[in-house]
mmCIF file of all heavy atoms in Angstrom:
data_model
loop_
_atom_site.group_PDB
_atom_site.id
_atom_site.type_symbol
_atom_site.label_atom_id
_atom_site.label_comp_id
_atom_site.label_asym_id
_atom_site.label_seq_id
_atom_site.Cartn_x
_atom_site.Cartn_y
_atom_site.Cartn_z
ATOM 1 N N ALA A 2 127.196 126.235 133.128
ATOM 2 C CA ALA A 2 126.878 124.814 133.222
ATOM 3 C C ALA A 2 127.346 124.125 131.955
ATOM 4 O O ALA A 2 127.362 124.719 130.875
ATOM 5 C CB ALA A 2 125.379 124.605 133.415
ATOM 6 N N THR A 3 127.734 122.873 132.081
ATOM 7 C CA THR A 3 128.196 122.126 130.913
ATOM 8 C C THR A 3 127.007 121.576 130.124
ATOM 9 O O THR A 3 125.874 121.503 130.615
ATOM 10 C CB THR A 3 129.080 120.952 131.335
ATOM 11 O OG1 THR A 3 128.278 120.010 132.069
ATOM 12 C CG2 THR A 3 130.244 121.422 132.188
ATOM 13 N N PHE A 4 127.303 121.160 128.891
ATOM 14 C CA PHE A 4 126.263 120.533 128.074
ATOM 15 C C PHE A 4 125.726 119.285 128.765
ATOM 16 O O PHE A 4 124.517 119.007 128.704
ATOM 17 C CB PHE A 4 126.820 120.185 126.682
ATOM 18 C CG PHE A 4 126.887 121.351 125.752
ATOM 19 C CD1 PHE A 4 128.051 122.082 125.627
ATOM 20 C CD2 PHE A 4 125.781 121.731 125.008
ATOM 21 C CE1 PHE A 4 128.122 123.174 124.761
ATOM 22 C CE2 PHE A 4 125.830 122.814 124.149
ATOM 23 C CZ PHE A 4 127.012 123.540 124.023
ATOM 24 N N ARG A 5 126.589 118.534 129.394
ATOM 25 C CA ARG A 5 126.136 117.330 130.090
ATOM 26 C C ARG A 5 125.095 117.673 131.155
ATOM 27 O O ARG A 5 124.024 117.052 131.234
ATOM 28 C CB ARG A 5 127.333 116.629 130.738
ATOM 29 C CG ARG A 5 127.001 115.269 131.338
ATOM 30 C CD ARG A 5 128.190 114.728 132.138
ATOM 31 N NE ARG A 5 129.410 114.718 131.347
ATOM 32 C CZ ARG A 5 129.763 113.727 130.541
ATOM 33 N NH1 ARG A 5 128.977 112.672 130.409
ATOM 34 N NH2 ARG A 5 130.906 113.787 129.869
ATOM 35 N N GLU A 6 125.389 118.680 131.959
ATOM 36 C CA GLU A 6 124.477 119.083 133.029
ATOM 37 C C GLU A 6 123.160 119.621 132.472
ATOM 38 O O GLU A 6 122.067 119.289 132.967
ATOM 39 C CB GLU A 6 125.150 120.141 133.905
ATOM 40 C CG GLU A 6 126.328 119.605 134.697
ATOM 41 C CD GLU A 6 127.190 120.699 135.296
ATOM 42 O OE1 GLU A 6 127.195 121.836 134.757
ATOM 43 O OE2 GLU A 6 127.878 120.436 136.298
ATOM 44 N N ILE A 7 123.248 120.442 131.424
ATOM 45 C CA ILE A 7 122.036 121.033 130.840
ATOM 46 C C ILE A 7 121.185 119.973 130.155
ATOM 47 O O ILE A 7 119.949 120.000 130.230
ATOM 48 C CB ILE A 7 122.405 122.162 129.859
ATOM 49 C CG1 ILE A 7 123.049 123.327 130.618
ATOM 50 C CG2 ILE A 7 121.185 122.635 129.085
ATOM 51 C CD1 ILE A 7 122.172 123.916 131.707
ATOM 52 N N LEU A 8 121.827 119.009 129.513
ATOM 53 C CA LEU A 8 121.069 117.932 128.867
ATOM 54 C C LEU A 8 120.320 117.102 129.905
ATOM 55 O O LEU A 8 119.149 116.750 129.701
ATOM 56 C CB LEU A 8 122.005 117.039 128.054
ATOM 57 C CG LEU A 8 122.461 117.607 126.712
ATOM 58 C CD1 LEU A 8 123.622 116.796 126.152
ATOM 59 C CD2 LEU A 8 121.306 117.635 125.713
ATOM 60 N N ILE A 9 120.972 116.797 131.020
ATOM 61 C CA ILE A 9 120.312 116.016 132.074
ATOM 62 C C ILE A 9 119.117 116.788 132.637
ATOM 63 O O ILE A 9 118.018 116.238 132.819
ATOM 64 C CB ILE A 9 121.325 115.670 133.180
ATOM 65 C CG1 ILE A 9 122.355 114.672 132.653
ATOM 66 C CG2 ILE A 9 120.603 115.105 134.409
ATOM 67 C CD1 ILE A 9 123.521 114.432 133.605
ATOM 68 N N THR A 10 119.319 118.071 132.909
ATOM 69 C CA THR A 10 118.237 118.898 133.452
ATOM 70 C C THR A 10 117.083 119.029 132.476
ATOM 71 O O THR A 10 115.902 118.923 132.854
ATOM 72 C CB THR A 10 118.777 120.291 133.811
ATOM 73 O OG1 THR A 10 119.834 120.159 134.773
ATOM 74 C CG2 THR A 10 117.676 121.162 134.391
ATOM 75 N N THR A 11 117.419 119.268 131.209
ATOM 76 C CA THR A 11 116.377 119.438 130.187
ATOM 77 C C THR A 11 115.575 118.164 130.001
ATOM 78 O O THR A 11 114.339 118.189 129.923
ATOM 79 C CB THR A 11 117.027 119.852 128.855
ATOM 80 O OG1 THR A 11 117.733 121.084 129.034
ATOM 81 C CG2 THR A 11 115.979 120.029 127.761
ATOM 82 N N GLU A 12 116.256 117.031 129.953
ATOM 83 C CA GLU A 12 115.553 115.756 129.817
ATOM 84 C C GLU A 12 114.610 115.531 130.991
ATOM 85 O O GLU A 12 113.463 115.091 130.804
ATOM 86 C CB GLU A 12 116.557 114.616 129.707
ATOM 87 C CG GLU A 12 115.909 113.252 129.526
ATOM 88 C CD GLU A 12 116.920 112.139 129.342
ATOM 89 O OE1 GLU A 12 118.105 112.423 129.081
ATOM 90 O OE2 GLU A 12 116.514 110.960 129.455
ATOM 91 N N SER A 13 115.057 115.845 132.188
ATOM 92 C CA SER A 13 114.213 115.665 133.378
ATOM 93 C C SER A 13 112.974 116.541 133.314
ATOM 94 O O SER A 13 111.863 116.106 133.666
ATOM 95 C CB SER A 13 115.013 115.977 134.646
ATOM 96 O OG SER A 13 116.072 115.063 134.813
ATOM 97 N N ARG A 14 113.144 117.774 132.868
ATOM 98 C CA ARG A 14 111.995 118.672 132.774
ATOM 99 C C ARG A 14 110.994 118.166 131.729
ATOM 100 O O ARG A 14 109.776 118.244 131.927
ATOM 101 C CB ARG A 14 112.452 120.090 132.435
ATOM 102 C CG ARG A 14 113.218 120.770 133.557
ATOM 103 C CD ARG A 14 113.554 122.201 133.208
ATOM 104 N NE ARG A 14 112.358 123.026 133.049
ATOM 105 C CZ ARG A 14 112.389 124.307 132.672
ATOM 106 N NH1 ARG A 14 113.554 124.894 132.405
ATOM 107 N NH2 ARG A 14 111.255 124.988 132.554
ATOM 108 N N LEU A 15 111.500 117.653 130.626
ATOM 109 C CA LEU A 15 110.608 117.125 129.594
ATOM 110 C C LEU A 15 109.880 115.879 130.088
ATOM 111 O O LEU A 15 108.683 115.699 129.834
ATOM 112 C CB LEU A 15 111.402 116.821 128.320
ATOM 113 C CG LEU A 15 111.999 118.026 127.588
ATOM 114 C CD1 LEU A 15 112.908 117.571 126.453
ATOM 115 C CD2 LEU A 15 110.900 118.940 127.043
ATOM 116 N N GLU A 16 110.585 115.014 130.785
ATOM 117 C CA GLU A 16 109.957 113.793 131.299
ATOM 118 C C GLU A 16 108.845 114.107 132.292
ATOM 119 O O GLU A 16 107.854 113.380 132.385
ATOM 120 C CB GLU A 16 111.009 112.901 131.965
ATOM 121 C CG GLU A 16 111.921 112.202 130.979
ATOM 122 C CD GLU A 16 112.979 111.368 131.674
ATOM 123 O OE1 GLU A 16 113.271 111.655 132.850
ATOM 124 O OE2 GLU A 16 113.513 110.451 131.018
ATOM 125 N N ALA A 17 108.999 115.201 133.023
ATOM 126 C CA ALA A 17 108.000 115.569 134.030
ATOM 127 C C ALA A 17 106.870 116.416 133.456
ATOM 128 O O ALA A 17 105.945 116.794 134.191
ATOM 129 C CB ALA A 17 108.688 116.347 135.160
ATOM 130 N N GLY A 18 106.922 116.667 132.157
ATOM 131 C CA GLY A 18 106.006 117.634 131.573
ATOM 132 C C GLY A 18 104.711 117.097 131.015
ATOM 133 O O GLY A 18 103.946 117.845 130.394
ATOM 134 N N ASP A 19 104.430 115.805 131.166
ATOM 135 C CA ASP A 19 103.188 115.209 130.644
ATOM 136 C C ASP A 19 103.044 115.499 129.158
ATOM 137 O O ASP A 19 101.993 115.941 128.686
ATOM 138 C CB ASP A 19 101.973 115.733 131.418
ATOM 139 C CG ASP A 19 100.709 114.964 131.074
ATOM 140 O OD1 ASP A 19 100.810 113.777 130.729
ATOM 141 O OD2 ASP A 19 99.614 115.565 131.134
ATOM 142 N N LEU A 20 104.115 115.238 128.408
ATOM 143 C CA LEU A 20 104.162 115.539 126.983
ATOM 144 C C LEU A 20 103.880 114.297 126.151
ATOM 145 O O LEU A 20 104.021 113.166 126.609
ATOM 146 C CB LEU A 20 105.546 116.091 126.614
ATOM 147 C CG LEU A 20 106.012 117.348 127.347
ATOM 148 C CD1 LEU A 20 107.450 117.663 126.999
ATOM 149 C CD2 LEU A 20 105.102 118.521 127.006
ATOM 150 N N HIS A 21 103.511 114.546 124.887
ATOM 151 C CA HIS A 21 103.418 113.458 123.915
ATOM 152 C C HIS A 21 104.672 113.499 123.050
ATOM 153 O O HIS A 21 105.002 114.528 122.473
ATOM 154 C CB HIS A 21 102.179 113.616 123.031
ATOM 155 C CG HIS A 21 102.163 112.628 121.893
ATOM 156 N ND1 HIS A 21 101.728 111.331 122.041
ATOM 157 C CD2 HIS A 21 102.557 112.751 120.592
ATOM 158 C CE1 HIS A 21 101.832 110.700 120.892
ATOM 159 N NE2 HIS A 21 102.337 111.530 119.996
ATOM 160 N N PHE A 22 105.383 112.372 122.969
ATOM 161 C CA PHE A 22 106.560 112.271 122.115
ATOM 162 C C PHE A 22 106.196 111.462 120.864
ATOM 163 O O PHE A 22 105.358 110.578 120.912
ATOM 164 C CB PHE A 22 107.714 111.602 122.863
ATOM 165 C CG PHE A 22 108.109 112.339 124.115
ATOM 166 C CD1 PHE A 22 107.777 111.824 125.365
ATOM 167 C CD2 PHE A 22 108.767 113.545 124.047
ATOM 168 C CE1 PHE A 22 108.130 112.494 126.525
ATOM 169 C CE2 PHE A 22 109.118 114.237 125.203
ATOM 170 C CZ PHE A 22 108.804 113.711 126.441
ATOM 171 N N GLY A 23 106.840 111.749 119.788
ATOM 172 C CA GLY A 23 106.559 111.016 118.557
ATOM 173 C C GLY A 23 106.562 111.891 117.321
ATOM 174 O O GLY A 23 106.467 111.386 116.208
ATOM 175 N N HIS A 24 106.680 113.199 117.490
ATOM 176 C CA HIS A 24 106.758 114.089 116.340
ATOM 177 C C HIS A 24 108.209 114.215 115.874
ATOM 178 O O HIS A 24 108.834 115.267 115.952
ATOM 179 C CB HIS A 24 106.199 115.470 116.688
ATOM 180 C CG HIS A 24 104.712 115.521 116.719
ATOM 181 N ND1 HIS A 24 103.990 115.088 117.809
ATOM 182 C CD2 HIS A 24 103.801 115.927 115.799
ATOM 183 C CE1 HIS A 24 102.698 115.235 117.563
ATOM 184 N NE2 HIS A 24 102.554 115.745 116.348
ATOM 185 N N GLY A 25 108.747 113.099 115.396
ATOM 186 C CA GLY A 25 110.114 113.089 114.902
ATOM 187 C C GLY A 25 111.142 112.717 115.954
ATOM 188 O O GLY A 25 112.319 112.548 115.627
ATOM 189 N N TYR A 26 110.735 112.600 117.216
ATOM 190 C CA TYR A 26 111.656 112.241 118.302
ATOM 191 C C TYR A 26 111.007 111.158 119.149
ATOM 192 O O TYR A 26 109.812 111.223 119.456
ATOM 193 C CB TYR A 26 111.982 113.463 119.162
ATOM 194 C CG TYR A 26 112.659 114.557 118.376
ATOM 195 C CD1 TYR A 26 111.911 115.594 117.821
ATOM 196 C CD2 TYR A 26 114.027 114.531 118.155
ATOM 197 C CE1 TYR A 26 112.519 116.592 117.073
ATOM 198 C CE2 TYR A 26 114.650 115.520 117.403
ATOM 199 C CZ TYR A 26 113.891 116.546 116.868
ATOM 200 O OH TYR A 26 114.492 117.518 116.120
ATOM 201 N N LEU A 27 111.811 110.175 119.565
ATOM 202 C CA LEU A 27 111.256 109.025 120.254
ATOM 203 C C LEU A 27 110.889 109.306 121.699
ATOM 204 O O LEU A 27 109.929 108.765 122.214
ATOM 205 C CB LEU A 27 112.257 107.855 120.208
ATOM 206 C CG LEU A 27 112.518 107.237 118.837
ATOM 207 C CD1 LEU A 27 113.600 106.165 118.959
ATOM 208 C CD2 LEU A 27 111.243 106.652 118.257
ATOM 209 N N ASP A 28 111.679 110.157 122.359
ATOM 210 C CA ASP A 28 111.496 110.300 123.799
ATOM 211 C C ASP A 28 112.077 111.621 124.286
ATOM 212 O O ASP A 28 112.569 112.444 123.491
ATOM 213 C CB ASP A 28 112.152 109.129 124.542
ATOM 214 C CG ASP A 28 113.602 108.897 124.123
ATOM 215 O OD1 ASP A 28 114.291 109.865 123.738
ATOM 216 O OD2 ASP A 28 114.058 107.739 124.198
ATOM 217 N N ALA A 29 112.047 111.820 125.603
ATOM 218 C CA ALA A 29 112.523 113.063 126.204
ATOM 219 C C ALA A 29 114.019 113.272 125.963
ATOM 220 O O ALA A 29 114.477 114.408 125.788
ATOM 221 C CB ALA A 29 112.228 113.060 127.702
ATOM 222 N N HIS A 30 114.784 112.193 125.966
ATOM 223 C CA HIS A 30 116.221 112.330 125.727
ATOM 224 C C HIS A 30 116.498 112.912 124.346
ATOM 225 O O HIS A 30 117.284 113.855 124.203
ATOM 226 C CB HIS A 30 116.910 110.971 125.869
ATOM 227 C CG HIS A 30 118.361 111.009 125.482
ATOM 228 N ND1 HIS A 30 119.336 111.531 126.297
ATOM 229 C CD2 HIS A 30 118.987 110.614 124.335
ATOM 230 C CE1 HIS A 30 120.507 111.453 125.696
ATOM 231 N NE2 HIS A 30 120.325 110.895 124.502
ATOM 232 N N ASP A 31 115.857 112.342 123.311
ATOM 233 C CA ASP A 31 116.073 112.825 121.948
ATOM 234 C C ASP A 31 115.657 114.291 121.807
ATOM 235 O O ASP A 31 116.335 115.082 121.139
ATOM 236 C CB ASP A 31 115.295 111.964 120.956
ATOM 237 C CG ASP A 31 115.934 110.596 120.740
ATOM 238 O OD1 ASP A 31 117.033 110.364 121.278
ATOM 239 O OD2 ASP A 31 115.323 109.771 120.043
ATOM 240 N N GLU A 32 114.539 114.644 122.422
ATOM 241 C CA GLU A 32 114.087 116.035 122.334
ATOM 242 C C GLU A 32 115.031 116.972 123.089
ATOM 243 O O GLU A 32 115.290 118.096 122.640
ATOM 244 C CB GLU A 32 112.658 116.168 122.867
ATOM 245 C CG GLU A 32 111.633 115.518 121.966
ATOM 246 C CD GLU A 32 110.241 116.121 122.116
ATOM 247 O OE1 GLU A 32 110.105 117.172 122.778
ATOM 248 O OE2 GLU A 32 109.298 115.531 121.556
#
Side-chain angles (χ1 to χ4, degrees):
T3 66
F4 281 95
R5 187 188 307 274
E6 293 166 335
I7 294 302
L8 283 167
I9 291 171
T10 301
T11 300
E12 181 177 346
S13 296
R14 291 184 64 184
L15 294 173
E16 286 178 338
D19 190 29
L20 302 173
H21 172 82
F22 301 106
H24 283 81
Y26 299 94
L27 292 176
D28 51 30
H30 173 77
D31 286 354
E32 290 205 10

